[in-house]
């Protein structure tokens, strides 16, 4: 039994696509708010230390925002294809649509958008997510999609990643995603520790933490690269095939890892070769001058030495005294 124009009654209306990723938006909003808050107090910093402080602030917040955001993005691996394909099962209707595959650390997103969007008296604009995280079951999500009667192109692509598929890529993607996510969470923790160490003026150990952050980010990329070396199952739509390549999150993670590597090496090298320049970058030159004044021994023979300066000398310090003959 069918309804109007041969459409079957168990097919739901097309899922509305939200215009942006809410998780990414929340994270970016939080970090931008922190940046705006710190910029407000920027005029209170005097001299050239203002520029160095602002650069450290921007780079620090950038690294933290990227490491946290790419945990939840779904574009580590992406691919698009435009094809003429059947729209629904038990129907001979053929539509022209853009089919997209977006692979993240926690699952896949499959999009279907018609060209034009309105075809065969329907709005063809789907965005379906199938998760393989610890608290979800990919096969169950796929079966729910079958029960809902999702369009055939979405089900065809989603079937390639099921655990029972002959492609046998479900386990590789799931394990590599879990390990990559664990490395990124550790990188976020080491980034927080590096920020704390730099704020406490423990520069050398802060540089070590930046190197560790870079290593963890690069290891997360290495875990994700392992699944790319496995044999790919063809996703064919007539004469064209859907092929994927590295997405924005992958390249952003690579840039962030290399940035942390350069910054960490820079701090360590400057600390061993040019410590004064490193202290100047972190606005520690004035503090050093104050410490030198505090630790400078006071000689009683000097006319510029006052009683207040004498009290600042340590008790074990030797004093030079001159005596005039009466």
């Amino acid at each position: 039994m069918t309804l109007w124009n041969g459409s079957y009654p168990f097919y739901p209306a097309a899922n509305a696509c939200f215009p942006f990723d809410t998780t990414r938006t929340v994270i970016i909003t939080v970090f931008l708010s922190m940046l705006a808050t710190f910029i407000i107090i920027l005029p209170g910093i005097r001299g050239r230390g203002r520029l160095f402080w602002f650069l450290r602030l921007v780079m620090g917040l950038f690294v933290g925002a990227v490491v946290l955001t790419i945990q939840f993005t779904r574009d580590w691996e992406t691919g698009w294809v435009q094809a003429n394909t059947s729209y629904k099962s038990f129907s001979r209707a053929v539509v022209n649509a853009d089919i997209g595959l977006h692979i993240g650390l926690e699952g896949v997103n499959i999009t279907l958008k018609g060209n034009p969007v309105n075809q065969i008296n329907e709005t063809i604009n789907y965005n379906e997510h199938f998760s393989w995280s610890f608290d979800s079951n990919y096969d169950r999500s796929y079966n729910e999609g079958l029960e809902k009667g999702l369009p055939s192109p979405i089900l065809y692509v989603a079937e390639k990643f099921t655990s029972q598929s002959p492609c046998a890529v479900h386990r590789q993607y799931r394990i590599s995603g879990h390990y990559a996510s664990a490395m990124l969470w550790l990188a976020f923790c080491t980034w927080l520790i590096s920020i704390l160490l730099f704020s406490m003026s423990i520069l050398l150990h802060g540089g070590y933490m930046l190197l560790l952050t870079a290593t963890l980010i690069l290891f997360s990329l290495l875990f994700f690269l392992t699944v790319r070396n496995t044999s790919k199952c063809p996703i064919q739509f007539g004469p064209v095939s859907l092929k994927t390549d590295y997405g924005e999150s992958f390249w952003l993670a690579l840039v962030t890892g290399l940035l942390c590597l350069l910054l960490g090496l820079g701090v360590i090298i400057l600390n061993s070769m040019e410590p004064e320049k490193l202290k100047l970058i972190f606005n520690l030159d004035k503090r050093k001058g104050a410490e030198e004044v505090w630790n400078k021994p006071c000689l009683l023979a000097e006319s510029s030495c006052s009683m207040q300066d004498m009290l600042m000398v340590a008790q074990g310090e030797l004093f030079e005294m001159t005596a005039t003959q009466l």
Side-chain angles (χ1 to χ4, degrees), residues 236-256:
Q236 202 75 22
F237 292 94
V240 296
S241 60
L242 176 58
K243 298 180 180 180
T244 59
D245 203 351
Y246 299 120
E248 295 179 1
S249 294
F250 179 88
W251 296 115
L252 191 58
L254 178 60
V255 170
T256 305

Side-chain angles (χ1 to χ4, degrees), residues 26-72:
V26 170
I27 295 174
I28 294 177
T29 302
V30 170
F31 277 87
L32 287 179
S33 301
M34 295 172 61
L35 178 61
T37 303
F38 285 114
I39 288 178
I40 293 176
I41 66 175
L42 185 62
I45 302 176
R46 299 179 180 179
R48 56 185 174 181
R50 179 185 305 172
L51 176 61
F52 292 131
W53 186 85
F54 180 73
L55 291 177
R56 296 199 312 269
L57 173 66
V58 172
M59 286 188 289
L61 291 179
F62 172 78
V63 172
V66 170
V67 173
L68 188 59
T69 302
I70 59 179
Q71 284 273 6
F72 309 101

Side-chain angles (χ1 to χ4, degrees), residues 30-268:
V30 170
F31 277 87
L32 287 179
S33 301
M34 295 172 61
L35 178 61
T37 303
F38 285 114
I39 288 178
I40 293 176
I41 66 175
L42 185 62
I45 302 176
R46 299 179 180 179
R48 56 185 174 181
R50 179 185 305 172
L51 176 61
F52 292 131
W53 186 85
F54 180 73
L55 291 177
R56 296 199 312 269
L57 173 66
V58 172
M59 286 188 289
L61 291 179
F62 172 78
V63 172
V66 170
V67 173
L68 188 59
T69 302
I70 59 179
Q71 284 273 6
F72 309 101
T73 54
R74 300 167 183 175
D75 55 354
W76 280 72
E77 189 177 345
T78 60
W80 284 92
V81 69
Q82 183 177 356
N84 294 317
T85 178
S86 61
Y87 181 47
K88 295 178 179 178
S89 302
F90 312 108
S91 175
R92 296 180 180 179
V94 176
V95 297
N96 183 272
D98 291 325
I99 305 163
L101 174 61
H102 313 275
I103 303 175
L105 301 181
E106 297 183 348
V108 298
N109 258 57
I110 305 172
T111 59
L112 179 68
K113 187 173 182 180
N115 291 315
V117 176
N118 296 316
Q119 297 183 50
I120 59 173
N121 295 328
E122 290 192 28
T123 301
I124 304 175
N125 191 10
Y126 287 83
N127 183 11
E128 298 294 331
H129 179 68
F130 301 89
S131 176
W132 53 52
S133 59
F134 281 118
D135 57 347
S136 59
N137 189 315
Y138 185 93
D139 291 344
R140 181 167 50 189
S141 300
Y142 173 73
N143 292 330
E144 291 175 355
L146 286 173
E147 295 175 0
K148 290 193 299 182
L150 294 177
S152 297
I154 294 180
L155 295 175
Y156 169 68
V157 177
E159 191 271 337
K160 300 290 184 179
F161 295 89
T162 58
S163 59
Q164 305 299 325
S165 173
C167 296
V169 296
H170 173 82
R171 185 172 181 271
Q172 288 84 348
Y173 272 105
R174 187 170 185 267
I175 293 177
S176 65
H178 290 337
Y179 279 106
S181 178
M183 292 296 102
L184 289 175
W185 280 119
L186 289 176
F188 184 74
C189 294
T190 55
W191 169 79
L192 288 176
I193 296 175
S194 69
I195 295 296
L196 180 62
L197 291 175
F198 284 135
S199 65
M200 297 172 61
S201 302
I202 310 176
L203 306 183
L204 181 59
H205 292 82
Y208 288 148
M209 283 294 106
L210 274 182
L211 280 183
L212 183 56
T213 303
T215 303
L216 292 171
I217 295 175
L218 295 178
F219 264 106
S220 69
L221 297 176
L222 183 62
F223 281 122
F224 192 79
L225 281 172
T226 57
V227 74
R228 288 282 299 175
N229 295 328
T230 60
S231 58
K232 294 296 180 179
C233 208
I235 304 176
Q236 202 75 22
F237 292 94
V240 296
S241 60
L242 176 58
K243 298 180 180 180
T244 59
D245 203 351
Y246 299 120
E248 295 179 1
S249 294
F250 179 88
W251 296 115
L252 191 58
L254 178 60
V255 170
T256 305
L258 294 178
L259 177 63
C260 290
L261 181 63
L262 293 176
L263 292 177
L265 289 176
V267 170
I268 294 173

Side-chain angles (χ1 to χ4, degrees), residues 294 309-319:
W294 178 271
D309 296 329
M310 293 169 54
L311 295 176
M312 295 170 59
V313 183
Q315 294 181 358
E317 197 74 25
L318 295 177
F319 292 84

Side-chain angles (χ1 to χ4, degrees), residues 288-306:
K288 179 187 175 185
E291 292 176 354
E292 289 180 349
V293 172
W294 178 271
N295 295 325
K296 182 179 179 180
C298 181
L299 302 180
L300 293 178
E302 296 179 0
S303 60
S304 61
C305 183
S306 62

